């Protein structure tokens, strides 16, 4: 959604056309993975899926949560209104006095965030100054729910299925700030080494992203999501690693 730019991937992987299926607060539910298959290219032998993994995306949720699930629960009429008239509806939504004052006098706002929603589904975000407010929120989130073995099992089922269909599947960890990485490692219950091993056994290709080194290189706007320049750089670096993996496996 914010971390991997399709344009930046295509700039390096010029032999691929990239489609994006990222959603806010998403998790790897069976419904989401099944819906993803509708985007697969037909009549081509060189298909691939790039799966960005975060501990949060591996947590199970009983209720409808995440933008994909919310949109899936909408009626066709509500979805149409949301897509075509969302900006108009948002314009007339109630606004607090504080937000109104900051809208009239931007210098009063403690932070300034610009979001550019691209037609390919990527959101280019620039925020000043940077904050770490998401770190505290995820600390509370991981107290309530941990990484789910059931969700991981669903992912491996689809990786195995796609691999059997001749689709190359790449998995990677989405980098975030050092503080967030620490929270994820200590509180989420995620075992990256075990997950990567299962991913490979299912037929996937695991791309090692050194988050301990790269968190400074890929600047975070809030402790979780990547700043626009960091996201573009990460996308290009990820594409180069994928290109390297494909060269080693003789994929043209």
């Amino acid at each position: 959604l914010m971390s991997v730019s399709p344009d930046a991937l295509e700039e390096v992987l010029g032999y691929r056309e990239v489609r994006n299926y990222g959603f806010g607060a998403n998790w790897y539910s069976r419904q989401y993975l099944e819906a993803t298959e509708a985007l697969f290219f037909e009549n081509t032998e060189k298909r691939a899926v790039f799966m960005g993994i975060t501990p949060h995306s591996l947590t199970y949720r009983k209720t409808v949560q995440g933008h994909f699930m919310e949109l899936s629960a909408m009626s066709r009429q509500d979805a149409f209104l949301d897509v075509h008239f969302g900006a108009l509806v948002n314009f007339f939504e109630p606004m607090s006095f504080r937000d109104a004052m900051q809208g009239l006098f931007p210098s009063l706002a403690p932070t300034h965030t610009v979001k550019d929603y691209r037609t390919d589904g990527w959101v280019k975000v620039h925020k000043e100054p940077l904050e770490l407010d998401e770190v505290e929120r995820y600390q509370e989130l991981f107290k309530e729910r941990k990484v789910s073995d059931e969700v991981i099992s669903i992912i491996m089922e689809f990786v195995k299925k796609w691999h059997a269909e001749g689709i190359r599947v790449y998995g990677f960890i989405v980098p975030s700030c050092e503080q967030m990485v620490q929270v994820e490692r200590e509180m989420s219950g995620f075992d990256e080494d075990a997950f990567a091993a299962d991913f490979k056994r299912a037929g996937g290709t695991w791309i090692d992203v050194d988050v301990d080194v790269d968190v400074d290189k890929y600047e975070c706007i809030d402790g979780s999501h990547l700043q626009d320049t960091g996201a573009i750089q990460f996308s290009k670096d990820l594409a180069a690693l994928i290109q390297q993996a494909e060269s080693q496996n003789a994929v043209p």
Side-chain angles (χ1 to χ4, degrees):
L1 182 70
M2 298 181 186
S3 298
V4 181
S5 161
D7 279 348
L9 287 178
E10 289 184 351
E11 186 175 328
V12 178
L13 303 174
Y15 51 91
R16 289 198 186 278
E17 180 183 345
V18 180
R19 292 176 177 175
N20 179 21
Y21 207 52
F23 295 86
N26 197 37
W27 63 291
Y28 281 106
S29 64
R30 182 177 298 278
Q31 299 98 311
Y32 169 69
L33 291 171
E34 288 175 346
T36 299
E37 295 181 336
L39 276 73
F40 289 177
F41 292 93
E42 297 182 359
N43 303 320
T44 177
E45 298 179 356
K46 308 302 180 185
R47 295 181 294 171
V49 177
F50 305 155
M51 302 181 72
I53 302 297
T54 67
H56 184 234
S57 71
L58 304 178
T59 59
Y60 177 79
R61 305 160 214 181
K62 294 182 179 179
T63 57
V64 175
Q65 293 185 29
H67 198 208
F68 170 79
M69 299 298 287
E70 292 171 3
L71 289 172
S72 298
M74 279 185 176
S75 67
R76 291 182 63 87
Q77 179 181 359
D78 288 343
F80 179 87
L81 292 174
D82 185 65
V83 170
H84 296 285
F85 298 99
L88 183 62
V89 172
N90 183 69
F91 180 81
F92 288 105
E93 283 185 348
M95 181 180 294
S96 68
F97 178 76
R98 183 193 64 180
D99 289 343
M101 290 300 294
Q102 291 179 0
L104 292 171
F105 305 100
S107 61
L108 296 176
T111 61
H112 299 273
T113 305
V114 178
K115 293 184 178 181
D116 180 5
Y117 292 84
R118 302 298 181 90
T119 56
D120 59 14
W122 182 57
V123 184
K124 179 181 179 181
V125 184
H126 190 85
K127 182 176 182 179
E128 294 181 0
L130 304 178
E131 294 180 324
L132 297 178
D133 49 308
E134 285 284 275
V135 175
E136 184 176 346
R137 187 173 76 86
Y138 273 79
Q139 286 176 325
E140 297 302 315
L141 185 152
F142 287 131
K143 289 179 183 178
E144 297 178 3
R145 58 177 182 262
K146 307 293 183 184
V147 166
S148 165
D149 289 339
E150 180 180 348
V151 174
I152 292 176
S153 178
I154 291 172
I155 289 176
M156 300 310 165
E157 175 188 329
F158 276 84
V159 172
K160 186 175 182 179
K161 175 190 175 194
W162 293 337
H163 175 70
E165 295 173 358
I167 300 172
R168 191 171 292 273
V169 186
Y170 295 97
F172 59 93
I173 298 294
V174 179
S176 55
C177 76
E178 183 179 357
Q179 293 88 335
M180 181 65 80
V181 172
Q182 183 176 354
V183 168
E184 291 174 337
R185 287 176 173 168
E186 294 178 356
M187 300 184 65
S188 72
F190 179 54
D191 186 333
E192 180 182 344
D193 292 337
F195 184 91
D198 288 344
F199 198 88
K200 293 175 184 176
R201 278 193 291 269
T205 300
W206 187 252
I207 303 295
D208 286 313
V209 176
D210 194 344
V211 293
D212 285 333
V213 173
D214 292 339
V215 288
D216 293 328
K217 182 179 181 181
Y218 310 128
E219 196 172 53
C220 293
I221 61 173
D222 53 12
S224 178
H225 303 99
L226 296 182
Q227 186 83 292
D228 51 1
T229 52
I232 292 172
Q233 184 60 57
F234 171 65
S235 301
K236 292 179 179 180
D237 292 346
L238 174 65
L241 290 171
I242 290 171
Q243 190 175 48
Q244 179 181 345
E246 294 191 334
S247 297
Q248 294 172 349
N249 288 280
V251 176

